[in-house]
Amino acid sequence: MVKSTGPANQKSKLFKLKKMAKKIYSLPQTNSINFAIKYIEIEGHKHRVSLAGNKKGTPVILMMGVFEDSLADARWLVSNMVNYDKESKFYFITVTVPFLEEYTEIKKHSTMTAKYDGFIPPSKIIKMRGKVKIDPRFDLENCAHTLKKIISVGLKIKRAHFVGHDRGCIIMDNMLAQYPEMAISYSRGSQGWTNFKEEWTKLTQEGIFLGPPHRIMATKAFPKLLKSAIMGGAPFGFIAPSFSKEAAIAKRGTEISDRWEAIQRMPNQSDYFFKLTRQIFRQTDFLDEGRRRSDRSRGFCILDTDFPMMQFQGSDEMLLAEKIPGAKKMPFYRKIMGLIGFGKVTGIFRLFRLRFPTYIFADLPGDFGIISNHTGDQPYWGIWNFWPNEIEDLLPGGKFQDRDNPTWKKNWKKFVKTNSSNKYSTIKTKKGARFSRFVIIKDALHWTHIERPENVAAACFDFIKDNEK
């Protein structure tokens, strides 16, 4: 049956969006911290923010990633930072990624179309460029200007500390490149920098995923990939094995269980939410984002700014599945069972367990103890190093993290310093590096602020405190 796209269907959709907008959004008390919710109206759209800490304190602006509830999933990080703030010097403001509220109406432009084609691994191109109409409000630069207006016009803030994660980084990168005077300091996590080569995208045919797969995110295939990666460790592992071992069996209702469920919910959001996210990824690309950071043709460049900047990455990036402690090869019969539907991996991604090395690293419910090929997608060492000009290389020429490798051990001892709290470590930056500090978050992978919020809070708060003026 073909669904109607006529006026009646449009009115029904608008009615549902208005109904959602009237729902009261709130956050629970977290680690004894209460959150207030506020809506900042910019050019007819109400942008949702959460507030915690000292209203008269120095602002700390946070923005997280795309496939999560930006405010709810940041509350553990923020509450830890507020509790670290013993002198009540700071006001923590978390902003939703622009236009990702559930009540947003998609407004496609009459002539503007997608800037990039979609991609379904291992090699299928979905034609979109120049064909599929888009809502230009979701464009990267527009999101950056929208964030600027939320801060300076809506909140009337001139300067702040900034903390971004994933998509939040990308938007903040562009805003602060153009308006560097806004930043007292900037901490960015789980997002690449300037070094990414187009030929690396072809590694997916070898079962190697590098960099956020934005072109997959532009297609309807992505929710299945996200679900397969989170719930079944294929085509690669997206959750730190160390976190899975603790959280997958945690007692329901505990904080660690709530954080585990927050990640598990990401692939199960509404079809309409994923339609909103696809508007972003039909207008952006990981390669393009890297180029923009070093592009001086616009008259501004984040490489030419001088505010203090920190990068934080999870410690479990790019571990080979076979190197995870306790890992054993997945039996062939179990691969076949998964292929015919007895498993959490769905669609084409079930084939990855047949094509590429798959290991069981822990006896956990469902498929949570299984990973195909490797974890993560953002190496900070070796031949695929995303930050070769910023930090000392822990494994020159290496592909995957190998903590038993003599070179890794030697360079870890030489270049890495573990913080006294044992929550994070810092890698030595190179002379002339743009980053003031590069941090490895202990026992975490991509969603560092959900997996180990206390560790990220320690790293970010220490950096903010060190740069408070």
Side-chain angles (χ1 to χ4, degrees), residues 67-82:
F67 302 105
E68 56 189 280
D69 182 326
S70 298
L71 309 189
D73 295 354
R75 62 190 170 91
W76 297 290
L77 168 61
V78 175
S79 62
N80 274 279
M81 293 180 76
V82 176

Side-chain angles (χ1 to χ4, degrees), residues 336-395:
I336 296 298
M337 293 294 287
L339 187 64
I340 61 178
F342 293 91
K344 298 291 185 182
V345 178
T346 58
I348 191 175
F349 307 111
R350 288 179 292 188
L351 296 173
F352 278 76
R353 286 188 174 171
L354 289 175
R355 290 186 60 191
F356 306 112
T358 299
Y359 287 78
I360 300 173
F361 65 87
D363 183 17
L364 299 175
D367 284 358
F368 294 128
I370 301 172
I371 284 180
S372 293
N373 214 29
H374 66 90
T375 64
D377 59 357
Q378 298 187 35
Y380 44 87
W381 65 87
I383 63 173
W384 302 319
N385 191 346
F386 282 14
W387 295 270
N389 300 321
E390 298 292 330
I391 53 175
E392 297 293 346
D393 198 334
L394 298 179
L395 193 60

Side-chain angles (χ1 to χ4, degrees), residues 200-217:
W200 294 353
T201 61
K202 298 175 183 177
L203 291 169
T204 56
Q205 297 179 47
E206 301 174 32
I208 300 168
F209 284 76
L210 295 177
H214 289 175
R215 295 192 186 183
I216 305 174
M217 294 172 183

Side-chain angles (χ1 to χ4, degrees), residues 48-65:
R48 185 187 287 152
V49 305
S50 68
L51 312 165
N54 179 10
K55 292 181 180 180
K56 296 182 179 180
T58 304
V60 179
I61 310 291
L62 301 96
M63 182 179 285
M64 302 294 106

